[in-house]
Amino acid sequence: MKEQVIPILRVADAAASVRWYARLGFVQEWEHRFEPDLPAFVDVARGDVHLFLSEHAGDATWDTLVYLRVADVDAVAREFGLPVEEAPWAREVHVTDPDGNRVRVGTPREE
């Protein structure tokens, strides 16, 4: 088994969040509900990078910040119509999901 850390983000509408995270290249892998009308818990993945999106009140807090390192930050910037910011460590864009969770997306600078 490959060990990994998977951030859990609090969301109000998992289906809407899955569509939003698709703009960052994530695809839904699975969804769990204890009963059909209970809150959803969803896994989205971009390659080996996973995020859990949870409608459950106790799983996470709003306004979380996640850093996503990608090979091509320019593609993300185009998708969201944002300028790329130049930082000493990476080229970055900052986006906010529909629930206020922040995602900083960066391509590291070559050394």
Side-chain angles (χ1 to χ4, degrees), residues 4-9 17-18 20-22 24 26-30 41-54 64-68 97 101-103:
Q4 58 188 157
V5 172
I6 304 174
I8 300 173
L9 301 177
S17 293
V18 166
W20 189 87
Y21 280 93
L24 288 173
F26 285 87
V27 295
Q28 181 175 328
E29 293 212 331
W30 52 260
F41 191 89
V42 178
D43 176 35
V44 293
R46 176 187 165 123
D48 289 335
V49 177
H50 290 260
L51 294 172
F52 288 158
L53 307 176
S54 179
T64 298
L65 172 62
V66 173
Y67 194 96
L68 175 62
D97 79 8
N101 297 302
R102 297 166 294 135
V103 182

PDB file of all heavy atoms in Angstrom, residues 4-9 17-18 20-22 24 26-30 41-54 64-68 97 101-103:
ATOM      1  N   GLN A   4      -0.304   7.927   1.976  1.00  0.00           N
ATOM      2  CA  GLN A   4      -0.617   9.248   1.455  1.00  0.00           C
ATOM      3  C   GLN A   4      -1.401  10.050   2.489  1.00  0.00           C
ATOM      4  O   GLN A   4      -1.932   9.491   3.434  1.00  0.00           O
ATOM      5  CB  GLN A   4      -1.402   9.157   0.140  1.00  0.00           C
ATOM      6  CG  GLN A   4      -2.692   8.402   0.238  1.00  0.00           C
ATOM      7  CD  GLN A   4      -3.358   8.155  -1.100  1.00  0.00           C
ATOM      8  OE1 GLN A   4      -4.120   7.249  -1.182  1.00  0.00           O
ATOM      9  NE2 GLN A   4      -3.113   8.931  -2.110  1.00  0.00           N
ATOM     10  N   VAL A   5      -1.435  11.342   2.300  1.00  0.00           N
ATOM     11  CA  VAL A   5      -2.259  12.247   3.099  1.00  0.00           C
ATOM     12  C   VAL A   5      -3.362  12.748   2.186  1.00  0.00           C
ATOM     13  O   VAL A   5      -3.096  13.163   1.054  1.00  0.00           O
ATOM     14  CB  VAL A   5      -1.423  13.439   3.614  1.00  0.00           C
ATOM     15  CG1 VAL A   5      -2.313  14.471   4.276  1.00  0.00           C
ATOM     16  CG2 VAL A   5      -0.349  12.957   4.561  1.00  0.00           C
ATOM     17  N   ILE A   6      -4.602  12.709   2.672  1.00  0.00           N
ATOM     18  CA  ILE A   6      -5.728  13.171   1.854  1.00  0.00           C
ATOM     19  C   ILE A   6      -6.482  14.238   2.639  1.00  0.00           C
ATOM     20  O   ILE A   6      -7.138  13.940   3.638  1.00  0.00           O
ATOM     21  CB  ILE A   6      -6.674  12.016   1.477  1.00  0.00           C
ATOM     22  CG1 ILE A   6      -5.905  10.912   0.761  1.00  0.00           C
ATOM     23  CG2 ILE A   6      -7.830  12.541   0.619  1.00  0.00           C
ATOM     24  CD1 ILE A   6      -6.726   9.665   0.479  1.00  0.00           C
ATOM     25  N   PRO A   7      -6.396  15.495   2.200  1.00  0.00           N
ATOM     26  CA  PRO A   7      -7.163  16.550   2.878  1.00  0.00           C
ATOM     27  C   PRO A   7      -8.668  16.317   2.730  1.00  0.00           C
ATOM     28  O   PRO A   7      -9.135  15.823   1.700  1.00  0.00           O
ATOM     29  CB  PRO A   7      -6.755  17.830   2.139  1.00  0.00           C
ATOM     30  CG  PRO A   7      -5.488  17.491   1.443  1.00  0.00           C
ATOM     31  CD  PRO A   7      -5.561  16.025   1.134  1.00  0.00           C
ATOM     32  N   ILE A   8      -9.397  16.676   3.774  1.00  0.00           N
ATOM     33  CA  ILE A   8     -10.857  16.630   3.741  1.00  0.00           C
ATOM     34  C   ILE A   8     -11.354  18.068   3.716  1.00  0.00           C
ATOM     35  O   ILE A   8     -10.990  18.872   4.568  1.00  0.00           O
ATOM     36  CB  ILE A   8     -11.438  15.897   4.961  1.00  0.00           C
ATOM     37  CG1 ILE A   8     -10.912  14.455   5.000  1.00  0.00           C
ATOM     38  CG2 ILE A   8     -12.968  15.931   4.924  1.00  0.00           C
ATOM     39  CD1 ILE A   8     -11.302  13.709   6.265  1.00  0.00           C
ATOM     40  N   LEU A   9     -12.170  18.389   2.723  1.00  0.00           N
ATOM     41  CA  LEU A   9     -12.726  19.733   2.576  1.00  0.00           C
ATOM     42  C   LEU A   9     -14.219  19.687   2.844  1.00  0.00           C
ATOM     43  O   LEU A   9     -14.927  18.819   2.333  1.00  0.00           O
ATOM     44  CB  LEU A   9     -12.469  20.271   1.169  1.00  0.00           C
ATOM     45  CG  LEU A   9     -11.003  20.365   0.746  1.00  0.00           C
ATOM     46  CD1 LEU A   9     -10.901  20.839  -0.695  1.00  0.00           C
ATOM     47  CD2 LEU A   9     -10.241  21.289   1.679  1.00  0.00           C
ATOM     48  N   SER A  17     -19.485  20.643  -6.049  1.00  0.00           N
ATOM     49  CA  SER A  17     -18.049  20.691  -5.796  1.00  0.00           C
ATOM     50  C   SER A  17     -17.283  19.770  -6.731  1.00  0.00           C
ATOM     51  O   SER A  17     -16.202  20.126  -7.197  1.00  0.00           O
ATOM     52  CB  SER A  17     -17.765  20.335  -4.337  1.00  0.00           C
ATOM     53  OG  SER A  17     -18.283  21.336  -3.492  1.00  0.00           O
ATOM     54  N   VAL A  18     -17.821  18.603  -7.010  1.00  0.00           N
ATOM     55  CA  VAL A  18     -17.170  17.687  -7.960  1.00  0.00           C
ATOM     56  C   VAL A  18     -17.049  18.366  -9.318  1.00  0.00           C
ATOM     57  O   VAL A  18     -15.989  18.309  -9.963  1.00  0.00           O
ATOM     58  CB  VAL A  18     -17.949  16.356  -8.074  1.00  0.00           C
ATOM     59  CG1 VAL A  18     -17.493  15.549  -9.279  1.00  0.00           C
ATOM     60  CG2 VAL A  18     -17.806  15.548  -6.788  1.00  0.00           C
ATOM     61  N   TRP A  20     -16.874  21.614  -9.868  1.00  0.00           N
ATOM     62  CA  TRP A  20     -15.893  22.687  -9.746  1.00  0.00           C
ATOM     63  C   TRP A  20     -14.473  22.120  -9.753  1.00  0.00           C
ATOM     64  O   TRP A  20     -13.603  22.618 -10.456  1.00  0.00           O
ATOM     65  CB  TRP A  20     -16.146  23.505  -8.477  1.00  0.00           C
ATOM     66  CG  TRP A  20     -15.308  24.739  -8.424  1.00  0.00           C
ATOM     67  CD1 TRP A  20     -15.613  25.957  -8.952  1.00  0.00           C
ATOM     68  CD2 TRP A  20     -14.003  24.877  -7.847  1.00  0.00           C
ATOM     69  NE1 TRP A  20     -14.581  26.841  -8.734  1.00  0.00           N
ATOM     70  CE2 TRP A  20     -13.581  26.204  -8.054  1.00  0.00           C
ATOM     71  CE3 TRP A  20     -13.155  24.006  -7.174  1.00  0.00           C
ATOM     72  CZ2 TRP A  20     -12.359  26.687  -7.608  1.00  0.00           C
ATOM     73  CZ3 TRP A  20     -11.935  24.485  -6.728  1.00  0.00           C
ATOM     74  CH2 TRP A  20     -11.551  25.809  -6.952  1.00  0.00           C
ATOM     75  N   TYR A  21     -14.230  21.061  -8.995  1.00  0.00           N
ATOM     76  CA  TYR A  21     -12.886  20.477  -8.938  1.00  0.00           C
ATOM     77  C   TYR A  21     -12.486  19.809 -10.257  1.00  0.00           C
ATOM     78  O   TYR A  21     -11.296  19.654 -10.539  1.00  0.00           O
ATOM     79  CB  TYR A  21     -12.744  19.536  -7.738  1.00  0.00           C
ATOM     80  CG  TYR A  21     -12.491  20.327  -6.473  1.00  0.00           C
ATOM     81  CD1 TYR A  21     -13.542  20.716  -5.653  1.00  0.00           C
ATOM     82  CD2 TYR A  21     -11.212  20.741  -6.138  1.00  0.00           C
ATOM     83  CE1 TYR A  21     -13.320  21.487  -4.523  1.00  0.00           C
ATOM     84  CE2 TYR A  21     -10.977  21.511  -5.013  1.00  0.00           C
ATOM     85  CZ  TYR A  21     -12.032  21.881  -4.212  1.00  0.00           C
ATOM     86  OH  TYR A  21     -11.797  22.656  -3.106  1.00  0.00           O
ATOM     87  N   ALA A  22     -13.462  19.465 -11.071  1.00  0.00           N
ATOM     88  CA  ALA A  22     -13.150  18.953 -12.415  1.00  0.00           C
ATOM     89  C   ALA A  22     -12.400  20.011 -13.230  1.00  0.00           C
ATOM     90  O   ALA A  22     -11.568  19.671 -14.074  1.00  0.00           O
ATOM     91  CB  ALA A  22     -14.427  18.513 -13.132  1.00  0.00           C
ATOM     92  N   LEU A  24     -10.109  21.744 -12.166  1.00  0.00           N
ATOM     93  CA  LEU A  24      -8.710  21.592 -11.769  1.00  0.00           C
ATOM     94  C   LEU A  24      -8.142  20.235 -12.187  1.00  0.00           C
ATOM     95  O   LEU A  24      -7.042  19.888 -11.808  1.00  0.00           O
ATOM     96  CB  LEU A  24      -8.570  21.744 -10.244  1.00  0.00           C
ATOM     97  CG  LEU A  24      -8.735  23.147  -9.679  1.00  0.00           C
ATOM     98  CD1 LEU A  24      -8.736  23.109  -8.159  1.00  0.00           C
ATOM     99  CD2 LEU A  24      -7.633  24.063 -10.188  1.00  0.00           C
ATOM    100  N   PHE A  26      -9.627  17.199 -11.532  1.00  0.00           N
ATOM    101  CA  PHE A  26     -10.015  16.102 -10.646  1.00  0.00           C
ATOM    102  C   PHE A  26     -11.225  15.361 -11.224  1.00  0.00           C
ATOM    103  O   PHE A  26     -12.093  15.973 -11.853  1.00  0.00           O
ATOM    104  CB  PHE A  26     -10.380  16.629  -9.254  1.00  0.00           C
ATOM    105  CG  PHE A  26      -9.202  17.041  -8.430  1.00  0.00           C
ATOM    106  CD1 PHE A  26      -8.678  18.324  -8.531  1.00  0.00           C
ATOM    107  CD2 PHE A  26      -8.608  16.152  -7.544  1.00  0.00           C
ATOM    108  CE1 PHE A  26      -7.589  18.720  -7.768  1.00  0.00           C
ATOM    109  CE2 PHE A  26      -7.518  16.537  -6.768  1.00  0.00           C
ATOM    110  CZ  PHE A  26      -7.008  17.818  -6.890  1.00  0.00           C
ATOM    111  N   VAL A  27     -11.287  14.062 -10.983  1.00  0.00           N
ATOM    112  CA  VAL A  27     -12.443  13.252 -11.369  1.00  0.00           C
ATOM    113  C   VAL A  27     -12.945  12.510 -10.131  1.00  0.00           C
ATOM    114  O   VAL A  27     -12.153  12.124  -9.258  1.00  0.00           O
ATOM    115  CB  VAL A  27     -12.118  12.245 -12.497  1.00  0.00           C
ATOM    116  CG1 VAL A  27     -11.752  12.965 -13.782  1.00  0.00           C
ATOM    117  CG2 VAL A  27     -11.011  11.305 -12.089  1.00  0.00           C
ATOM    118  N   GLN A  28     -14.250  12.334 -10.073  1.00  0.00           N
ATOM    119  CA  GLN A  28     -14.830  11.614  -8.939  1.00  0.00           C
ATOM    120  C   GLN A  28     -14.493  10.143  -9.052  1.00  0.00           C
ATOM    121  O   GLN A  28     -14.714   9.527 -10.087  1.00  0.00           O
ATOM    122  CB  GLN A  28     -16.344  11.802  -8.910  1.00  0.00           C
ATOM    123  CG  GLN A  28     -16.992  11.096  -7.737  1.00  0.00           C
ATOM    124  CD  GLN A  28     -18.476  11.367  -7.630  1.00  0.00           C
ATOM    125  OE1 GLN A  28     -18.941  12.444  -7.981  1.00  0.00           O
ATOM    126  NE2 GLN A  28     -19.213  10.396  -7.135  1.00  0.00           N
ATOM    127  N   GLU A  29     -13.978   9.566  -7.967  1.00  0.00           N
ATOM    128  CA  GLU A  29     -13.690   8.133  -7.940  1.00  0.00           C
ATOM    129  C   GLU A  29     -14.808   7.354  -7.259  1.00  0.00           C
ATOM    130  O   GLU A  29     -15.134   6.265  -7.685  1.00  0.00           O
ATOM    131  CB  GLU A  29     -12.354   7.880  -7.260  1.00  0.00           C
ATOM    132  CG  GLU A  29     -11.196   8.427  -8.078  1.00  0.00           C
ATOM    133  CD  GLU A  29      -9.939   7.624  -7.926  1.00  0.00           C
ATOM    134  OE1 GLU A  29      -9.720   7.016  -6.860  1.00  0.00           O
ATOM    135  OE2 GLU A  29      -9.160   7.609  -8.900  1.00  0.00           O
ATOM    136  N   TRP A  30     -15.351   7.917  -6.177  1.00  0.00           N
ATOM    137  CA  TRP A  30     -16.474   7.256  -5.505  1.00  0.00           C
ATOM    138  C   TRP A  30     -17.221   8.242  -4.617  1.00  0.00           C
ATOM    139  O   TRP A  30     -16.729   9.326  -4.336  1.00  0.00           O
ATOM    140  CB  TRP A  30     -16.029   6.033  -4.707  1.00  0.00           C
ATOM    141  CG  TRP A  30     -14.893   6.247  -3.745  1.00  0.00           C
ATOM    142  CD1 TRP A  30     -13.581   5.936  -3.957  1.00  0.00           C
ATOM    143  CD2 TRP A  30     -14.947   6.809  -2.434  1.00  0.00           C
ATOM    144  NE1 TRP A  30     -12.828   6.270  -2.864  1.00  0.00           N
ATOM    145  CE2 TRP A  30     -13.638   6.807  -1.896  1.00  0.00           C
ATOM    146  CE3 TRP A  30     -15.971   7.325  -1.635  1.00  0.00           C
ATOM    147  CZ2 TRP A  30     -13.326   7.289  -0.643  1.00  0.00           C
ATOM    148  CZ3 TRP A  30     -15.665   7.813  -0.363  1.00  0.00           C
ATOM    149  CH2 TRP A  30     -14.357   7.786   0.111  1.00  0.00           C
ATOM    150  N   PHE A  41     -20.055  11.873   1.074  1.00  0.00           N
ATOM    151  CA  PHE A  41     -18.609  11.898   1.281  1.00  0.00           C
ATOM    152  C   PHE A  41     -18.016  11.384  -0.021  1.00  0.00           C
ATOM    153  O   PHE A  41     -18.305  10.259  -0.442  1.00  0.00           O
ATOM    154  CB  PHE A  41     -18.225  10.988   2.455  1.00  0.00           C
ATOM    155  CG  PHE A  41     -16.804  11.154   2.903  1.00  0.00           C
ATOM    156  CD1 PHE A  41     -16.478  12.084   3.870  1.00  0.00           C
ATOM    157  CD2 PHE A  41     -15.796  10.381   2.359  1.00  0.00           C
ATOM    158  CE1 PHE A  41     -15.169  12.238   4.298  1.00  0.00           C
ATOM    159  CE2 PHE A  41     -14.485  10.528   2.776  1.00  0.00           C
ATOM    160  CZ  PHE A  41     -14.164  11.460   3.759  1.00  0.00           C
ATOM    161  N   VAL A  42     -17.227  12.221  -0.705  1.00  0.00           N
ATOM    162  CA  VAL A  42     -16.792  11.939  -2.075  1.00  0.00           C
ATOM    163  C   VAL A  42     -15.273  11.986  -2.170  1.00  0.00           C
ATOM    164  O   VAL A  42     -14.633  12.840  -1.559  1.00  0.00           O
ATOM    165  CB  VAL A  42     -17.407  12.972  -3.050  1.00  0.00           C
ATOM    166  CG1 VAL A  42     -16.941  12.742  -4.472  1.00  0.00           C
ATOM    167  CG2 VAL A  42     -18.926  12.943  -2.971  1.00  0.00           C
ATOM    168  N   ASP A  43     -14.723  11.077  -2.962  1.00  0.00           N
ATOM    169  CA  ASP A  43     -13.293  11.097  -3.277  1.00  0.00           C
ATOM    170  C   ASP A  43     -13.134  11.604  -4.703  1.00  0.00           C
ATOM    171  O   ASP A  43     -13.756  11.072  -5.634  1.00  0.00           O
ATOM    172  CB  ASP A  43     -12.705   9.693  -3.173  1.00  0.00           C
ATOM    173  CG  ASP A  43     -11.246   9.621  -3.592  1.00  0.00           C
ATOM    174  OD1 ASP A  43     -10.488  10.580  -3.351  1.00  0.00           O
ATOM    175  OD2 ASP A  43     -10.852   8.592  -4.163  1.00  0.00           O
ATOM    176  N   VAL A  44     -12.327  12.668  -4.871  1.00  0.00           N
ATOM    177  CA  VAL A  44     -11.952  13.133  -6.205  1.00  0.00           C
ATOM    178  C   VAL A  44     -10.444  12.988  -6.325  1.00  0.00           C
ATOM    179  O   VAL A  44      -9.709  13.128  -5.346  1.00  0.00           O
ATOM    180  CB  VAL A  44     -12.388  14.593  -6.488  1.00  0.00           C
ATOM    181  CG1 VAL A  44     -13.912  14.699  -6.548  1.00  0.00           C
ATOM    182  CG2 VAL A  44     -11.822  15.571  -5.476  1.00  0.00           C
ATOM    183  N   ALA A  45      -9.985  12.677  -7.531  1.00  0.00           N
ATOM    184  CA  ALA A  45      -8.557  12.436  -7.738  1.00  0.00           C
ATOM    185  C   ALA A  45      -8.075  13.094  -9.019  1.00  0.00           C
ATOM    186  O   ALA A  45      -8.805  13.206  -9.992  1.00  0.00           O
ATOM    187  CB  ALA A  45      -8.285  10.939  -7.793  1.00  0.00           C
ATOM    188  N   ARG A  46      -6.831  13.503  -8.956  1.00  0.00           N
ATOM    189  CA  ARG A  46      -6.104  14.009 -10.121  1.00  0.00           C
ATOM    190  C   ARG A  46      -4.814  13.199 -10.126  1.00  0.00           C
ATOM    191  O   ARG A  46      -3.874  13.519  -9.390  1.00  0.00           O
ATOM    192  CB  ARG A  46      -5.828  15.503  -9.957  1.00  0.00           C
ATOM    193  CG  ARG A  46      -4.993  16.093 -11.074  1.00  0.00           C
ATOM    194  CD  ARG A  46      -4.619  17.534 -10.762  1.00  0.00           C
ATOM    195  NE  ARG A  46      -3.565  17.971 -11.635  1.00  0.00           N
ATOM    196  CZ  ARG A  46      -3.614  19.013 -12.433  1.00  0.00           C
ATOM    197  NH1 ARG A  46      -4.685  19.782 -12.437  1.00  0.00           N
ATOM    198  NH2 ARG A  46      -2.601  19.322 -13.188  1.00  0.00           N
ATOM    199  N   GLY A  47      -4.813  12.102 -10.876  1.00  0.00           N
ATOM    200  CA  GLY A  47      -3.680  11.184 -10.809  1.00  0.00           C
ATOM    201  C   GLY A  47      -3.613  10.583  -9.423  1.00  0.00           C
ATOM    202  O   GLY A  47      -4.591  10.046  -8.919  1.00  0.00           O
ATOM    203  N   ASP A  48      -2.449  10.716  -8.771  1.00  0.00           N
ATOM    204  CA  ASP A  48      -2.270  10.179  -7.426  1.00  0.00           C
ATOM    205  C   ASP A  48      -2.690  11.149  -6.323  1.00  0.00           C
ATOM    206  O   ASP A  48      -2.598  10.835  -5.146  1.00  0.00           O
ATOM    207  CB  ASP A  48      -0.796   9.806  -7.198  1.00  0.00           C
ATOM    208  CG  ASP A  48      -0.383   8.582  -8.005  1.00  0.00           C
ATOM    209  OD1 ASP A  48      -1.258   7.762  -8.349  1.00  0.00           O
ATOM    210  OD2 ASP A  48       0.825   8.451  -8.289  1.00  0.00           O
ATOM    211  N   VAL A  49      -3.151  12.344  -6.687  1.00  0.00           N
ATOM    212  CA  VAL A  49      -3.566  13.350  -5.714  1.00  0.00           C
ATOM    213  C   VAL A  49      -5.063  13.191  -5.455  1.00  0.00           C
ATOM    214  O   VAL A  49      -5.861  13.197  -6.390  1.00  0.00           O
ATOM    215  CB  VAL A  49      -3.256  14.771  -6.239  1.00  0.00           C
ATOM    216  CG1 VAL A  49      -3.759  15.821  -5.270  1.00  0.00           C
ATOM    217  CG2 VAL A  49      -1.771  14.927  -6.504  1.00  0.00           C
ATOM    218  N   HIS A  50      -5.421  13.058  -4.188  1.00  0.00           N
ATOM    219  CA  HIS A  50      -6.826  12.882  -3.819  1.00  0.00           C
ATOM    220  C   HIS A  50      -7.277  13.987  -2.880  1.00  0.00           C
ATOM    221  O   HIS A  50      -6.495  14.506  -2.086  1.00  0.00           O
ATOM    222  CB  HIS A  50      -7.033  11.541  -3.097  1.00  0.00           C
ATOM    223  CG  HIS A  50      -6.879  10.361  -3.973  1.00  0.00           C
ATOM    224  ND1 HIS A  50      -7.931   9.681  -4.500  1.00  0.00           N
ATOM    225  CD2 HIS A  50      -5.773   9.748  -4.435  1.00  0.00           C
ATOM    226  CE1 HIS A  50      -7.501   8.679  -5.241  1.00  0.00           C
ATOM    227  NE2 HIS A  50      -6.171   8.711  -5.216  1.00  0.00           N
ATOM    228  N   LEU A  51      -8.548  14.315  -2.959  1.00  0.00           N
ATOM    229  CA  LEU A  51      -9.230  15.171  -1.994  1.00  0.00           C
ATOM    230  C   LEU A  51     -10.517  14.468  -1.604  1.00  0.00           C
ATOM    231  O   LEU A  51     -11.179  13.857  -2.442  1.00  0.00           O
ATOM    232  CB  LEU A  51      -9.586  16.532  -2.606  1.00  0.00           C
ATOM    233  CG  LEU A  51      -8.463  17.464  -3.008  1.00  0.00           C
ATOM    234  CD1 LEU A  51      -9.027  18.663  -3.761  1.00  0.00           C
ATOM    235  CD2 LEU A  51      -7.699  17.920  -1.769  1.00  0.00           C
ATOM    236  N   PHE A  52     -10.860  14.533  -0.330  1.00  0.00           N
ATOM    237  CA  PHE A  52     -12.165  14.075   0.125  1.00  0.00           C
ATOM    238  C   PHE A  52     -13.039  15.311   0.278  1.00  0.00           C
ATOM    239  O   PHE A  52     -12.634  16.294   0.919  1.00  0.00           O
ATOM    240  CB  PHE A  52     -12.074  13.342   1.456  1.00  0.00           C
ATOM    241  CG  PHE A  52     -11.451  11.975   1.398  1.00  0.00           C
ATOM    242  CD1 PHE A  52     -10.916  11.424   2.547  1.00  0.00           C
ATOM    243  CD2 PHE A  52     -11.406  11.235   0.229  1.00  0.00           C
ATOM    244  CE1 PHE A  52     -10.351  10.156   2.530  1.00  0.00           C
ATOM    245  CE2 PHE A  52     -10.845   9.973   0.191  1.00  0.00           C
ATOM    246  CZ  PHE A  52     -10.318   9.426   1.354  1.00  0.00           C
ATOM    247  N   LEU A  53     -14.231  15.282  -0.294  1.00  0.00           N
ATOM    248  CA  LEU A  53     -15.204  16.360  -0.185  1.00  0.00           C
ATOM    249  C   LEU A  53     -16.337  15.850   0.686  1.00  0.00           C
ATOM    250  O   LEU A  53     -16.962  14.839   0.362  1.00  0.00           O
ATOM    251  CB  LEU A  53     -15.726  16.747  -1.579  1.00  0.00           C
ATOM    252  CG  LEU A  53     -14.664  17.070  -2.635  1.00  0.00           C
ATOM    253  CD1 LEU A  53     -15.317  17.343  -3.980  1.00  0.00           C
ATOM    254  CD2 LEU A  53     -13.798  18.240  -2.185  1.00  0.00           C
ATOM    255  N   SER A  54     -16.588  16.531   1.798  1.00  0.00           N
ATOM    256  CA  SER A  54     -17.559  16.027   2.767  1.00  0.00           C
ATOM    257  C   SER A  54     -18.656  17.029   3.052  1.00  0.00           C
ATOM    258  O   SER A  54     -18.390  18.190   3.372  1.00  0.00           O
ATOM    259  CB  SER A  54     -16.851  15.665   4.078  1.00  0.00           C
ATOM    260  OG  SER A  54     -17.800  15.211   5.016  1.00  0.00           O
ATOM    261  N   THR A  64     -10.658  26.215   4.320  1.00  0.00           N
ATOM    262  CA  THR A  64      -9.397  25.479   4.365  1.00  0.00           C
ATOM    263  C   THR A  64      -8.526  25.915   3.199  1.00  0.00           C
ATOM    264  O   THR A  64      -9.025  26.325   2.156  1.00  0.00           O
ATOM    265  CB  THR A  64      -9.682  23.965   4.287  1.00  0.00           C
ATOM    266  OG1 THR A  64     -10.453  23.600   5.430  1.00  0.00           O
ATOM    267  CG2 THR A  64      -8.428  23.147   4.242  1.00  0.00           C
ATOM    268  N   LEU A  65      -7.210  25.824   3.369  1.00  0.00           N
ATOM    269  CA  LEU A  65      -6.267  26.122   2.292  1.00  0.00           C
ATOM    270  C   LEU A  65      -5.531  24.838   1.922  1.00  0.00           C
ATOM    271  O   LEU A  65      -4.966  24.170   2.787  1.00  0.00           O
ATOM    272  CB  LEU A  65      -5.259  27.193   2.720  1.00  0.00           C
ATOM    273  CG  LEU A  65      -4.092  27.453   1.758  1.00  0.00           C
ATOM    274  CD1 LEU A  65      -4.588  27.967   0.409  1.00  0.00           C
ATOM    275  CD2 LEU A  65      -3.099  28.421   2.382  1.00  0.00           C
ATOM    276  N   VAL A  66      -5.547  24.501   0.624  1.00  0.00           N
ATOM    277  CA  VAL A  66      -4.830  23.343   0.096  1.00  0.00           C
ATOM    278  C   VAL A  66      -3.861  23.840  -0.959  1.00  0.00           C
ATOM    279  O   VAL A  66      -4.213  24.708  -1.771  1.00  0.00           O
ATOM    280  CB  VAL A  66      -5.821  22.326  -0.531  1.00  0.00           C
ATOM    281  CG1 VAL A  66      -5.083  21.207  -1.234  1.00  0.00           C
ATOM    282  CG2 VAL A  66      -6.765  21.784   0.518  1.00  0.00           C
ATOM    283  N   TYR A  67      -2.652  23.312  -0.944  1.00  0.00           N
ATOM    284  CA  TYR A  67      -1.675  23.638  -1.990  1.00  0.00           C
ATOM    285  C   TYR A  67      -1.625  22.475  -2.963  1.00  0.00           C
ATOM    286  O   TYR A  67      -1.412  21.333  -2.565  1.00  0.00           O
ATOM    287  CB  TYR A  67      -0.282  23.882  -1.392  1.00  0.00           C
ATOM    288  CG  TYR A  67       0.644  24.547  -2.386  1.00  0.00           C
ATOM    289  CD1 TYR A  67       0.801  25.930  -2.377  1.00  0.00           C
ATOM    290  CD2 TYR A  67       1.327  23.818  -3.350  1.00  0.00           C
ATOM    291  CE1 TYR A  67       1.622  26.566  -3.294  1.00  0.00           C
ATOM    292  CE2 TYR A  67       2.153  24.445  -4.266  1.00  0.00           C
ATOM    293  CZ  TYR A  67       2.303  25.812  -4.233  1.00  0.00           C
ATOM    294  OH  TYR A  67       3.114  26.444  -5.151  1.00  0.00           O
ATOM    295  N   LEU A  68      -1.823  22.770  -4.242  1.00  0.00           N
ATOM    296  CA  LEU A  68      -1.789  21.763  -5.299  1.00  0.00           C
ATOM    297  C   LEU A  68      -0.624  22.065  -6.216  1.00  0.00           C
ATOM    298  O   LEU A  68      -0.596  23.105  -6.876  1.00  0.00           O
ATOM    299  CB  LEU A  68      -3.106  21.783  -6.088  1.00  0.00           C
ATOM    300  CG  LEU A  68      -3.203  20.867  -7.307  1.00  0.00           C
ATOM    301  CD1 LEU A  68      -3.061  19.397  -6.913  1.00  0.00           C
ATOM    302  CD2 LEU A  68      -4.519  21.116  -8.035  1.00  0.00           C
ATOM    303  N   ASP A  97     -13.062  27.654  -4.017  1.00  0.00           N
ATOM    304  CA  ASP A  97     -14.179  26.814  -4.450  1.00  0.00           C
ATOM    305  C   ASP A  97     -15.508  27.423  -4.008  1.00  0.00           C
ATOM    306  O   ASP A  97     -15.534  28.427  -3.285  1.00  0.00           O
ATOM    307  CB  ASP A  97     -13.974  25.359  -4.008  1.00  0.00           C
ATOM    308  CG  ASP A  97     -14.300  25.069  -2.555  1.00  0.00           C
ATOM    309  OD1 ASP A  97     -14.843  25.940  -1.833  1.00  0.00           O
ATOM    310  OD2 ASP A  97     -14.013  23.938  -2.115  1.00  0.00           O
ATOM    311  N   ASN A 101     -13.383  27.263   0.327  1.00  0.00           N
ATOM    312  CA  ASN A 101     -12.087  26.608   0.491  1.00  0.00           C
ATOM    313  C   ASN A 101     -11.132  27.161  -0.551  1.00  0.00           C
ATOM    314  O   ASN A 101     -11.498  27.342  -1.707  1.00  0.00           O
ATOM    315  CB  ASN A 101     -12.215  25.095   0.339  1.00  0.00           C
ATOM    316  CG  ASN A 101     -13.085  24.502   1.417  1.00  0.00           C
ATOM    317  OD1 ASN A 101     -12.809  24.655   2.594  1.00  0.00           O
ATOM    318  ND2 ASN A 101     -14.155  23.849   1.005  1.00  0.00           N
ATOM    319  N   ARG A 102      -9.917  27.447  -0.121  1.00  0.00           N
ATOM    320  CA  ARG A 102      -8.937  28.056  -1.013  1.00  0.00           C
ATOM    321  C   ARG A 102      -7.974  27.008  -1.531  1.00  0.00           C
ATOM    322  O   ARG A 102      -7.523  26.140  -0.777  1.00  0.00           O
ATOM    323  CB  ARG A 102      -8.175  29.151  -0.263  1.00  0.00           C
ATOM    324  CG  ARG A 102      -9.103  30.282   0.187  1.00  0.00           C
ATOM    325  CD  ARG A 102      -8.474  31.198   1.206  1.00  0.00           C
ATOM    326  NE  ARG A 102      -8.230  30.477   2.447  1.00  0.00           N
ATOM    327  CZ  ARG A 102      -7.098  30.552   3.138  1.00  0.00           C
ATOM    328  NH1 ARG A 102      -6.100  31.304   2.750  1.00  0.00           N
ATOM    329  NH2 ARG A 102      -6.955  29.873   4.264  1.00  0.00           N
ATOM    330  N   VAL A 103      -7.659  27.100  -2.821  1.00  0.00           N
ATOM    331  CA  VAL A 103      -6.691  26.204  -3.433  1.00  0.00           C
ATOM    332  C   VAL A 103      -5.618  27.068  -4.081  1.00  0.00           C
ATOM    333  O   VAL A 103      -5.908  27.870  -4.963  1.00  0.00           O
ATOM    334  CB  VAL A 103      -7.342  25.271  -4.486  1.00  0.00           C
ATOM    335  CG1 VAL A 103      -6.305  24.315  -5.064  1.00  0.00           C
ATOM    336  CG2 VAL A 103      -8.514  24.508  -3.878  1.00  0.00           C
TER     337      VAL A 103
END
